[in-house]
Amino acid sequence: MTVDATLTARGLLLDMDSTLVNSEAVVELLWQRWADEHGFALEEVLAIAHGRQGWATMAALLPDRPEELNRADNARMLADETRIVEGVVPVAGAPEFMASIVALPHALVTSANIALTERRMDAAGLPLPSIRITAESVTLSKPDPEGFLKGAAELGLPPEDCLVFEDSEAGISAAKSAGMRVVGVGPRAIAFSPTAHVDDLTRIRVEPLTDGRFAVHVLR
């Protein structure tokens, strides 16, 4: 492997689903059920759903539907997602990547709630960062930048010093709106013009520097 790009940062902000944890089988199963109930094709739903909180996806697809119905559907879906962990595995390279950043400032920024976050990270065998921004932490879902801005604030860093790892259009858009650079992870991410792109986390190497920053090497 050779270095394709090097990005420097003082903190990392990490999405969870499809960035660290492969939970797509469960996600597709439950959204298929919802899509069937409401007359949508699964592909139509997933084009919006990735990266967003469930209620926000429902609101985008059914703009005239009362919010309380979307919130209720979202609560039921979260309960099912928390219960079903078959097929939830780490994204390739995620265990090694998480081990390499354990001593560096980093936070999880996910659209999942606390219970689902803990369940999926545990199912994938990944350590849970001490700083995490979950659905309970924000009033607005990605693509709004609120979650990433809160993550940077929790790290005590300005947005421009943070590097985001994301897979979805909503997440990449949120990071860019927050004034942050983005490493897109996985095949979906490349279409949304991240700062750099990797197929999975086996292509990332992190190197501490002497001035409090660290270098993130993107390999090809």
Side-chain angles (χ1 to χ4, degrees):
M1 294 186 187
T2 59
V3 176
D4 187 51
T6 296
L7 304 171
T8 60
R10 295 183 184 275
L12 298 176
L13 300 175
L14 313 173
D15 176 52
M16 181 178 70
D17 289 302
S18 299
T19 300
L20 299 175
V21 175
N22 183 344
S23 56
E24 299 213 0
V26 178
V27 170
E28 291 183 8
L29 172 69
L30 296 178
W31 276 117
Q32 180 71 74
R33 182 190 305 169
W34 189 91
D36 291 344
E37 290 173 356
H38 295 278
F40 291 101
L42 177 61
E43 294 74 16
E44 185 178 4
V45 175
L46 293 179
I48 297 174
H50 288 299
R52 285 180 168 85
Q53 293 187 42
W55 63 264
T57 297
M58 296 169 194
L61 290 164
L62 297 169
D64 296 325
R65 191 177 193 232
E67 182 178 344
E68 60 267 23
L69 295 182
N70 292 334
R71 296 280 185 176
D73 278 2
N74 187 52
R76 286 190 290 271
M77 187 176 289
L78 284 170
D80 287 341
E81 286 185 291
T82 304
R83 177 176 53 84
I84 302 170
V85 294
E86 289 81 7
V88 174
V89 295
V91 166
E96 296 81 4
F97 171 69
M98 294 299 285
S100 75
I101 66 169
V102 66
L104 303 176
H106 67 284
L108 197 67
V109 182
T110 175
S111 292
N113 65 6
I114 293 170
L116 181 57
T117 298
E118 292 176 348
R119 181 78 161 142
R120 283 202 175 146
M121 292 291 281
D122 180 67
L126 297 176
L128 195 62
S130 59
I131 298 174
R132 42 197 180 267
I133 306 299
T134 64
E136 294 90 343
S137 309
V138 298
T139 58
L140 297 170
S141 173
K142 298 172 186 176
D144 190 273
E146 181 185 6
F148 286 123
L149 292 172
K150 284 195 170 184
E154 287 289 325
L155 293 178
L157 295 171
E160 61 269 22
D161 281 350
C162 294
L163 181 63
V164 173
F165 281 71
E166 260 286 1
D167 73 289
S168 69
E169 180 179 16
I172 291 171
S173 178
K176 289 180 178 180
S177 294
M180 300 173 183
R181 295 155 298 146
V182 192
V183 176
V185 180
R188 185 166 47 239
I190 196 169
F192 310 120
S193 302
T195 311
H197 176 262
V198 290
D199 292 332
D200 57 48
L201 295 173
T202 65
R203 301 286 177 165
I204 295 292
R205 298 291 184 272
V206 181
E207 176 190 8
L209 302 175
T210 58
D211 60 357
R213 299 178 301 151
F214 49 87
V216 175
H217 302 296
V218 177
L219 308 179
R220 62 178 177 181

